Amino acid sequence: MRQLTVQLVSFLLSPLLWIVLLVILRYFLKQPGLRRKCSWVAVIIFLLFSNRFLLNSYARYWQPPPKDISADSTYSCGILPGGFGSPDARDNSGYFNQSADRFIQALKLYKLGKIRTVLVNGGNGKQDASQFNEAAWTRNQLQIMGVPDSVIWFEDQSASTADNAANARKILDSAGLKPPYVLITSAFHMPRASLIYKNAGLPHVAFPCNYTVGKGKFSFWDIVPDPNIIPEWNPFLKEVVGYWIYRVKG
């Protein structure tokens, strides 16, 4: 229920949705004053959410900084939530998508001896890909990269981050792997994911990665409106909505 609420509220907060609705509403209103207000509000929303400087500024505020665990002792397990593998529509095989840095960092931590095992956490969240099992596919990718099957744990029943945490708790308890663990996920996803895993009783070290925005140097072109920037707000809006819903409801 909370997952559905997160998706619905984040959809309703989409800047592009409001721009489209205001433009459509403008043509149905008869009062010139209201039509002008709709136009101005639509323009203001466009200017704000097409500004890369504002997006980068918010990303730097929301995303936790990279975590250096090179001096730490070895952790029993690295938890790797799904979402970085997608089905190929041509043959239903898998490919790495824009979140692939999650996989890279988990593999790197294992190869460097910072985690002893890897828990591939989830993989059936994509309801339109019944023949593609991301967890099994990820397990195979790890094996190809030289990670022995004996140190790979995986579950493929999760359809949300809350499911990820609940199922991870069952596996880790059953395996007798002691906390704290290392949670490896995208930086924009980390605040909400870390809260949910903590609430599920899984002490962990947050290891954010996959920084897609908020890390580059300032450029004059960052303040020039760019329509392509608008959709990049959507993941952040979803995460902040989800974070507060899970924080308030516990």
Side-chain angles (χ1 to χ4, degrees), residues 10 19 22 29-30 55 73 76 83 109 149 178 199 210 235 242:
S10 57
I19 292 172
L22 286 166
L29 292 173
K30 295 182 179 180
L55 175 61
S73 301
S76 65
L109 290 176
D149 188 55
K178 302 299 182 182
N199 289 346
N210 196 53

Side-chain angles (χ1 to χ4, degrees), residues 4-219:
L4 181 61
T5 302
V6 170
Q7 293 176 343
L8 177 60
V9 175
S10 57
F11 170 75
L12 293 176
L13 289 177
S14 170
L16 184 58
L17 173 66
W18 280 100
I19 292 172
V20 171
L21 289 177
L22 286 166
V23 170
I24 293 175
L25 181 61
R26 180 185 183 279
Y27 285 96
F28 284 94
L29 292 173
K30 295 182 179 180
Q31 298 91 335
L34 290 178
R35 295 180 65 184
R36 282 195 299 271
K37 288 181 180 178
C38 284
S39 298
W40 276 110
V41 173
V43 169
I44 290 171
I45 293 174
F46 172 79
L47 292 176
L48 287 174
F49 289 95
S50 64
N51 187 306
R52 182 170 292 279
F53 172 75
L54 293 180
L55 175 61
N56 284 335
S57 298
Y58 181 77
R60 282 191 288 270
Y61 162 78
W62 175 255
Q63 297 177 147
K67 176 70 174 179
D68 181 9
I69 63 172
S70 60
D72 294 0
S73 301
T74 301
Y75 294 88
S76 65
C77 186
I79 303 174
L80 177 60
F84 51 84
S86 297
D88 190 321
R90 296 171 298 178
D91 55 14
N92 218 34
S93 61
Y95 68 92
F96 286 104
N97 59 35
Q98 66 272 16
S99 298
D101 192 43
R102 298 186 191 183
F103 177 90
I104 295 171
Q105 296 302 322
L107 178 63
K108 179 180 176 181
L109 290 176
Y110 174 77
K111 292 290 187 179
L112 292 175
K114 304 312 299 181
I115 55 176
R116 290 195 294 271
T117 62
V118 180
L119 170 57
V120 181
N121 196 193
N124 274 6
K126 301 177 179 64
Q127 301 300 322
D128 61 341
S130 59
Q131 302 302 312
F132 175 71
N133 187 304
E134 185 183 355
W137 175 81
T138 302
R139 182 183 189 181
N140 183 56
Q141 298 304 310
L142 287 169
Q143 291 171 337
I144 291 173
M145 298 295 182
V147 180
D149 188 55
S150 59
V151 302
I152 302 174
W153 300 88
F154 85 103
E155 61 89 10
D156 58 5
Q157 299 305 305
S158 298
S160 68
T161 304
D163 289 346
N164 286 155
N167 291 330
R169 172 72 184 271
K170 295 176 184 177
I171 291 175
L172 293 169
D173 285 350
S174 176
L177 296 172
K178 302 299 182 182
Y181 312 106
V182 181
L183 178 60
I184 308 158
T185 192
S186 301
F188 75 86
H189 179 52
M190 183 59 78
R192 179 168 69 105
S194 185
L195 174 66
I196 293 173
Y197 278 79
K198 180 180 178 182
N199 289 346
L202 291 171
H204 60 271
V205 172
F207 193 89
C209 57
N210 196 53
Y211 293 86
T212 57
V213 295
K215 301 296 285 184
K217 294 182 178 180
F218 173 76
S219 166

